C-alpha cells in the first residue's frame, strides 16, 4: 500500500518518544507533530534528523484503513492498546 499523501494520521495519533526537531522530548499521542505542515506533509521527510520510527513506518491497510479518518481511528486504537 502507498501512503496517502496529506493523511497525517501517523504524525498525530501515536506517541513518539524519539526526539523530533522542535520537539526534543518527542510528542504525546494525539498531538500534531510540529514537522507536519498545513497540507499534512512531513517537513523533514527524507532528512537525517527525521526519527527512525517515522522512517520505518509502513503504510498498511490494517493500520491505515481505507480513508484518512479511518487511519486516525485505527492508529488511535493501536496507541491506546499499546500504551504503558
Amino acid at each position: 500500500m502507498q501512503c496517502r499523501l496529506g493523511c497525517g494520521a501517523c504524525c498525530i495519533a501515536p506517541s513518539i518518544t524519539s526526539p523530533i526537531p522542535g520537539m526534543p522530548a518527542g510528542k504525546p499521542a494525539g498531538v500534531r507533530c510540529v514537522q507536519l505542515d498545513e497540507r499534512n506533509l512531513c517537513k523533514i521527510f527524507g532528512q537525517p534528523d527525521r526519527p527512525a520510527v517515522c522512517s520505518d513506518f509502513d503504510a498498511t491497510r490494517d493500520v491505515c484503513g481505507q480513508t484518512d479518518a479511518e487511519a486516525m481511528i485505527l492508529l488511535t486504537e493501536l496507541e491506546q492498546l499499546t500504551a504503558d
Side-chain angles (χ1 to χ4, degrees), residues 4-49:
R4 287 186 299 272
L5 292 178
C7 172
C10 60
C11 303
I12 300 168
S15 60
I16 298 175
T17 57
S18 304
I20 301 166
M23 299 180 103
K27 68 166 227 55
V31 173
R32 185 180 180 84
C33 179
V34 298
Q35 296 300 329
L36 196 60
D37 72 13
E38 66 282 346
R39 298 169 298 149
N40 281 350
L41 300 175
C42 179
K43 295 186 248 180
I44 57 172
F45 187 85
Q47 296 183 18
D49 53 349

Side-chain angles (χ1 to χ4, degrees), residues 54-76:
C54 300
S55 299
D56 292 344
F57 180 80
D58 287 323
T60 61
R61 223 38 84 221
D62 58 329
V63 173
C64 300
Q66 301 285 335
T67 66
D68 300 353
E70 188 177 4
M72 186 64 82
I73 291 166
L74 292 170
L75 286 165
T76 297

